[in-house]
Amino acid sequence: MTLRRVSEVPLPDRETIELVRLSSVDIPEGSARLARSFYDNLFEMVPSVRSMFADDIRPQQQRMADALLSVVRHLDDPDEVAHHLRRLGRQHHRELGVVPEHYPYVGRALVRAVSEVSPTWTSSMSSAWVLVYQWITAQMIAGAEGDDTPPAPPRARGLGEDRIPNGPQYQVPGRAPAGSPGRHSR
């Protein structure tokens, strides 16, 4: 997957977005299977990023799956989603030390994970996910590039068991934060 600037990556067309949605329609919100597959794939491809996460990655898996599926569901409101993704990109850059070079690995791990858990997976869906992921990535990198705060090296920021679980909760567009009224507990 090639990294491109926001100006080079338009929001994918309706048909592409619908293919992505179709591939994720049977994946339950907060899918532990999707998230587990994603992180297993990512850590297999780039073992060095494992240290960016807490030892107990389950809370992060939940947030990742919720955020991803929410973004897919809300692509009809691209301005709101782009705003959220830029904020998330800034936060990942500042707090996790995510750099643009990480994004292609994340994309490959994501497409592989969705293909592993989607009962309706096709090769067209793979292409659709790549296009949507490129748009997501462009938004997140734009957010990180607008951040004047240089990321601290992972170990200098005290990355231990409490790093992700006790970190900030991400507000997904159209959803109440975890633990707040209106949010269903699992």
Side-chain angles (χ1 to χ4, degrees):
M1 289 182 201
T2 306
L3 296 177
R4 300 187 307 177
R5 299 210 165 280
V6 169
S7 60
E8 301 171 319
V9 186
L11 180 69
D13 62 36
R14 186 127 204 65
E15 183 180 334
T16 300
I17 291 170
E18 287 307 315
L19 275 172
V20 168
R21 284 182 175 151
L22 182 61
S23 72
S24 61
V25 75
D26 292 327
I27 299 172
E29 197 170 298
S31 172
R33 188 169 166 229
L34 171 64
R36 201 171 31 256
S37 179
F38 166 75
Y39 285 105
D40 287 350
N41 290 326
L42 180 63
F43 299 152
E44 180 183 314
M45 286 183 230
V46 195
S48 63
V49 301
R50 180 62 182 95
S51 66
M52 296 170 80
F53 299 93
D55 289 339
D56 181 3
I57 198 162
R58 288 174 298 186
Q60 173 61 24
Q61 289 175 336
Q62 179 74 47
R63 285 192 299 270
M64 173 272 185
D66 283 348
L68 175 65
L69 294 174
S70 183
V71 164
V72 168
R73 289 183 185 116
H74 290 92
L75 285 172
D76 294 327
D77 189 358
D79 292 337
E80 178 68 26
V81 172
H83 176 73
H84 169 70
L85 290 170
R86 287 175 186 220
R87 192 172 57 242
L88 198 58
R90 225 177 355 267
Q91 188 172 23
H92 280 75
H93 172 72
R94 185 180 305 136
E95 296 176 13
L96 296 173
V98 173
V99 294
E101 292 76 22
H102 291 138
Y103 285 96
Y105 295 108
V106 170
R108 284 192 284 281
L110 176 63
V111 172
R112 186 182 297 170
V114 177
S115 75
E116 291 169 355
V117 301
S118 174
T120 58
W121 190 258
T122 66
S123 59
S124 323
M125 288 174 180
S126 179
S127 299
W129 268 99
V130 168
L131 292 173
V132 168
Y133 180 74
Q134 286 178 332
W135 183 81
I136 289 170
T137 298
Q139 301 302 322
M140 291 183 73
I141 290 173
E145 287 176 345
D147 185 7
D148 293 338
T149 309
R155 287 293 164 202
R157 288 176 290 154
L159 297 181
E161 289 79 25
D162 63 344
R163 181 149 194 301
I164 298 296
N166 294 331
Q169 295 294 311
Y170 303 123
Q171 173 120 12
V172 179
R175 298 262 321 267
S180 69
R183 173 79 185 219
H184 298 289
S185 57
R186 290 175 195 20

